[in-house]
Amino acid sequence: MRSNIILTIFGKEIKEVLRDKRMLYLVILLPFFLYPVLFTLIGKVGADQQDKLSSQKVTVLINPEGQGTPVFDLLKADTTLELKTAAFDRAAIDTAKNTIGVWVAPDYAQQIAASGSAKVTIYVDESKDVLSLRKEVIAARLQALNQQILGERLRQAQLSESLIQPLAVETENVATKEQLVGKVMGGFLPMIILMFIFVGCVYIAIDITAGEKERRTLQTLYSTTASKGEIIAGKFLAVASVGIVSAAMNILSLLVAMQIQVSLMSENANSLSFSVSPQGWLWLVVLVLLSTVFLGALCLAVVLLANSYKEAQSYVSPMMMLILIPAMLSQMPGMELNASTALIPMLNISLAMGAVVKGAIDPGLMAMVVGMALLYALVALWLASRSFGNESVITGEKVNFRQLLGK
Amino acid sequence: MTTLIEARRLTKDFGELRAADDVTFQVGAGEIVGLLGPNGAGKTTTLRMLAGLLQPTAGEAVISGHSMNKEQRQARRELGFLTGDMDLYRRLKPAELLTYFGKLYETPAIELDARVKNLMAAFGINDFADRLCEKLSTGQKQRVSIARTLVHDPKVVILDEPTTGLDIMASEFILRFIERIAREEKKAVVFSTHNLAEVERLCDRIVVIHRGKVAFNGIPAELLAQTGKTTLHDAFFHLVQ
């Protein structure tokens, strides 16, 4: 194979990509601005919504028997609640707007005095966010009152509070802050990286294969002195380069978005610290490169079967599923990188990337993943070469898998 | 006259279908040969085998003395191939497209630069040189396509229905181009067409393909004599019915 011919084809494909505004938006601009905008927007909208819900006035109906009890005083003290005394039933609360009902048992005072249990019922429509949130607040205040009464009763009986709490269970998290952030990031980061490598690869692959078939320019290319191997190599390099740029832009964008979040939440800045060791970065680069080789070659092999741009686009969703399903499986509880999962394409890459981000690198397993990923990448490249070598592809005719894998 | 194109018993099967069956003919330097036949006769299959796009089931295509099976690179270096429905790379400018193909044929840089300039001047491409190919009109695209076919100065030019879908002006441009490269530059030209007026105007010889086989190979006058008809139109119909 002649490197000058491969580089000529590669250069031409990249020149066309750089002139395709749609591709630039998809591969560079969209990923670069996606996370910062998304994170900031979601954070801001979420915080605003929370403030709005917390300050919104909610009516609380309390039955007349509840008046004069500590429950009444407790609710009255909350300025965000509009307390009204009235008899009500479940149906009334169901139909009333923005209203919570608190029913206090008529024998409240007697029960408390006799060290009994006084019933307090909260009626609430929990399908409404504002009411659900306020119910939590009311329930917490009632729980505090409960603890207060309990404490008084224990003191009167000259008993220690430890009597009702024989076990003082405590949990101490020994994970570092980096590990905790890594756990969260390790869950979704591989999925995002793989998805955007695929998106980067697939659209250029469609343009330079099915698009060329549709325009009949592939025949022109095949009638030149460039060999099939040189054509595949040049086009594959272009697809893989765009895939890598897409993945790099995503990782960069994600880091920028996280920095913005950290600076916006200065008091919690330390809790968001996230770092990958130099060794981890090395593994990540290797994994991203191998994923790109695999996905790039797979995209070329599959979309070349289509006869038109439109038909090739219909192959995108099924291929996306092939990538997303293993990536999502990698986030299932208990799913971890081991000798079995290291054999499954895409799942192994997702788990390995997750392990790197979490800082749990097992060199033996990582080597196994790299070996398997390399094998799958070679199989995908072989498939792509079968696609390109097929006469029907050259002449722009329809190709099926049987033809591809046949003679 | 040096023979530059040789179809030697070319046969092509697509599964059960024999699209081309023992097709044999030659084209010499400076000669224009028209390939005629009804739809599905095997013209395009034959031309694709000559251009090395399809591997013959049997037989051999030889371009300028180089077997397309055994010396593909040398054979393709002497070959320019164009079909009527071929488009251009949309986001390249004409000069970039010509340079791209010149590089694929490994034309030396200085020579390529001169050839691109000459072709752009000869085909009036300089007038729209700054526009991307996707912005060109059909006629302008056709000029760039022809220039692309000639950028590596091939000895042989194969054209598959080059005037299909073109208006009168664009078709005329193609026909003059075919005439010029054969008469002035002594290239061997084979082209397929359904237009018998084009054949009468240009072709030194015609090859009629019917049901995959060569039904006639000779000069137009011989076809008239053989069929006893007075027009090429009638003679052609007589042969393929």
Side-chain angles (χ1 to χ4, degrees):
Chain A
M1 286 211 281
R2 297 163 296 173
S3 58
N4 61 323
I5 299 295
I6 295 170
L7 288 175
T8 298
I9 295 170
F10 168 71
K12 174 257 168 194
E13 301 299 357
I14 293 298
K15 184 179 272 184
E16 284 213 279
V17 167
L18 291 175
R19 286 180 180 169
D20 184 356
K21 288 187 184 122
R22 191 191 45 165
M23 195 81 83
L24 289 179
Y25 291 143
L26 199 71
V27 174
I28 296 175
L29 291 179
L30 178 70
F32 192 76
F33 290 110
L34 180 71
Y35 302 114
V37 171
L38 210 64
F39 276 37
T40 313
L41 202 70
I42 289 174
K44 179 87 176 72
V45 170
D48 287 354
Q49 198 62 16
Q50 193 70 22
D51 287 349
K52 195 178 154 194
L53 289 178
S54 305
S55 58
Q56 194 174 333
K57 276 266 182 194
V58 169
T59 305
V60 174
L61 289 183
I62 189 163
N63 55 324
E65 295 86 348
Q67 207 164 9
T69 64
V71 175
F72 183 87
D73 298 339
L74 177 147
L75 295 172
K76 201 174 180 183
D78 190 335
T79 52
T80 64
L81 301 177
E82 193 181 341
L83 193 61
K84 288 182 181 171
T85 308
F88 66 88
D89 58 8
R90 183 194 162 101
I93 297 300
D94 196 26
T95 51
K97 197 182 171 190
N98 253 8
T99 302
I100 294 174
V102 176
W103 182 85
V104 181
D107 59 348
Y108 178 91
Q110 294 91 312
Q111 286 290 348
I112 297 296
S115 296
S117 186
K119 195 172 179 186
V120 178
T121 308
I122 303 171
Y123 293 90
V124 61
D125 176 0
E126 288 202 70
S127 66
K128 307 264 187 326
D129 286 341
V130 64
L131 297 181
S132 174
L133 189 75
R134 218 52 67 80
K135 184 221 75 179
E136 294 296 332
V137 174
I138 294 170
R141 286 173 190 270
L142 289 172
Q143 185 57 33
L145 177 63
N146 192 41
Q147 283 299 115
Q148 184 194 328
I149 296 167
L150 183 64
E152 283 166 11
R153 286 180 180 180
L154 288 170
R155 271 194 299 281
Q156 278 172 11
Q158 295 183 327
L159 294 171
S160 160
E161 284 190 25
S162 61
L163 185 75
I164 57 159
Q165 197 178 2
L167 294 180
V169 178
E170 282 181 9
T171 304
E172 194 155 336
N173 194 343
V174 297
T176 61
K177 284 166 189 166
E178 283 81 3
Q179 281 173 317
L180 288 173
V181 178
K183 183 177 183 295
V184 178
M185 298 288 285
F188 72 89
L189 197 60
M191 192 163 78
I192 287 173
I193 293 175
L194 290 176
M195 197 177 78
F196 273 91
I197 291 175
F198 172 73
V199 169
C201 287
V202 77
Y203 285 102
I204 178 179
I206 290 174
D207 196 49
I208 67 177
T209 56
E212 276 216 46
K213 268 174 89 178
E214 189 172 270
R215 297 188 292 273
R216 305 264 171 190
T217 46
L218 208 55
Q219 281 192 61
T220 324
L221 191 56
Y222 276 109
S223 70
T224 68
T225 55
S227 68
K228 288 188 187 77
E230 288 161 351
I231 294 170
I232 297 168
K235 285 183 179 285
F236 171 71
L237 275 182
V239 170
S241 302
V242 174
I244 286 171
V245 169
S246 180
M249 293 310 294
N250 273 278
I251 296 171
L252 195 66
S253 168
L254 203 61
L255 293 175
V256 169
M258 287 182 67
Q259 279 308 113
I260 292 173
Q261 283 298 93
V262 167
S263 62
L264 286 177
M265 302 166 67
S266 51
E267 70 275 17
N268 293 324
N270 287 334
S271 66
L272 275 169
S273 57
F274 166 65
S275 67
V276 174
S277 66
Q279 189 201 5
W281 277 113
L282 197 67
W283 280 116
L284 267 185
V285 168
V286 171
L287 291 169
V288 165
L289 284 176
L290 286 171
S291 312
T292 310
V293 172
F294 174 70
L295 291 174
L298 188 73
C299 288
L300 276 180
V302 174
V303 298
L304 201 55
L305 302 179
N307 263 3
S308 65
Y309 208 99
K310 204 172 169 185
E311 187 186 339
Q313 282 178 322
S314 70
Y315 296 169
V316 172
S317 298
M319 278 199 285
M320 182 88 88
M321 286 296 111
L322 281 179
I323 294 148
L324 285 185
I325 290 171
M328 283 157 85
L329 279 176
S330 72
Q331 295 181 55
M332 294 288 122
M335 191 63 86
E336 59 183 24
L337 190 61
N338 56 40
S340 304
T341 52
L343 303 176
I344 303 168
M346 286 293 105
L347 179 67
N348 55 3
I349 295 272
S350 294
L351 289 169
M353 282 182 182
V356 171
V357 174
K358 287 171 195 166
I361 301 169
D362 178 332
L365 284 174
M366 294 298 282
M368 198 171 166
V369 171
V370 168
M372 291 312 295
L374 198 60
L375 178 70
Y376 291 127
L378 289 174
V379 170
L381 273 174
W382 174 79
L383 258 180
S385 71
R386 296 292 296 185
S387 289
F388 270 90
N390 195 289
E391 279 186 346
S392 299
V393 166
I394 297 167
T395 55
E397 307 298 329
K398 184 80 191 154
V399 191
N400 56 43
F401 272 104
R402 221 181 77 192
Q403 277 178 302
L404 198 67
L405 300 172
K407 186 172 77 93
Chain B
M1 186 168 53
T2 317
T3 300
L4 292 179
I5 303 174
E6 288 181 78
R8 293 181 184 165
R9 309 195 70 176
L10 286 174
T11 301
K12 182 68 182 176
D13 294 335
F14 293 109
E16 299 293 307
L17 175 76
R18 177 151 289 188
D21 188 3
D22 208 20
V23 174
T24 299
F25 63 88
Q26 291 87 33
V27 185
E31 194 178 17
I32 302 172
V33 170
L35 205 58
L36 298 178
N39 283 337
K43 302 187 296 295
T44 296
T45 301
T46 302
L47 293 183
R48 283 174 173 172
M49 284 192 282
L50 285 174
L53 294 174
L54 290 178
Q55 179 72 29
T57 308
E60 187 179 32
V62 179
I63 302 295
S64 191
H66 301 290
S67 163
M68 194 54 89
N69 293 348
K70 296 168 195 153
E71 304 163 282
Q72 197 168 69
R73 192 175 293 172
Q74 290 91 326
R76 283 184 169 168
R77 192 162 280 146
E78 302 296 351
L79 172 81
F81 180 66
L82 177 73
T83 72
D85 59 358
M86 263 182 201
D87 205 348
L88 302 169
Y89 291 115
R90 294 173 298 171
R91 289 183 289 274
L92 291 189
K93 292 175 184 173
E96 291 169 342
L97 185 126
L98 297 179
T99 306
Y100 172 59
F101 278 98
K103 282 182 178 174
L104 290 181
Y105 285 104
E106 293 186 296
T107 311
I110 299 170
E111 191 188 325
L112 177 60
D113 194 41
R115 280 201 67 77
V116 169
K117 280 180 182 157
N118 288 341
L119 285 167
M120 288 184 63
F123 288 101
I125 296 171
N126 287 321
D127 300 340
F128 49 88
D130 290 335
R131 288 157 68 179
L132 295 178
C133 288
E134 66 183 345
K135 305 279 184 193
L136 303 182
S137 69
T138 309
Q140 289 169 333
K141 280 182 182 173
Q142 203 63 28
R143 289 176 191 211
V144 178
S145 292
I146 296 166
R148 191 271 303 159
T149 311
L150 299 176
V151 74
H152 56 296
D153 195 18
K155 289 180 181 164
V156 167
V157 176
I158 294 175
L159 305 133
D160 187 10
E161 299 187 15
T163 55
T164 301
L166 297 182
D167 64 17
I168 296 171
M169 295 296 288
S171 296
E172 180 59 26
F173 191 85
I174 297 270
L175 299 178
R176 285 186 187 176
F177 147 75
I178 292 173
E179 210 162 17
R180 199 183 80 195
I181 58 170
R183 307 300 178 226
E184 294 173 18
E185 298 178 27
K186 299 296 174 199
K187 297 186 192 299
V189 180
V190 59
F191 78 104
S192 67
T193 182
H194 290 290
N195 189 331
L196 294 173
E198 290 176 359
V199 174
E200 280 180 318
R201 174 176 159 183
L202 290 177
C203 294
D204 301 305
R205 229 156 20 90
I206 52 177
V207 173
V208 179
I209 296 189
H210 184 44
R211 292 179 183 151
K213 290 177 183 288
V214 174
F216 176 81
N217 179 1
I219 60 171
E222 284 173 348
L223 180 59
L224 298 178
Q226 185 182 312
T227 56
K229 303 291 178 184
T230 53
T231 66
L232 206 53
H233 182 271
D234 292 339
F236 175 74
F237 275 94
H238 178 83
L239 207 62
V240 299
Q241 274 178 346

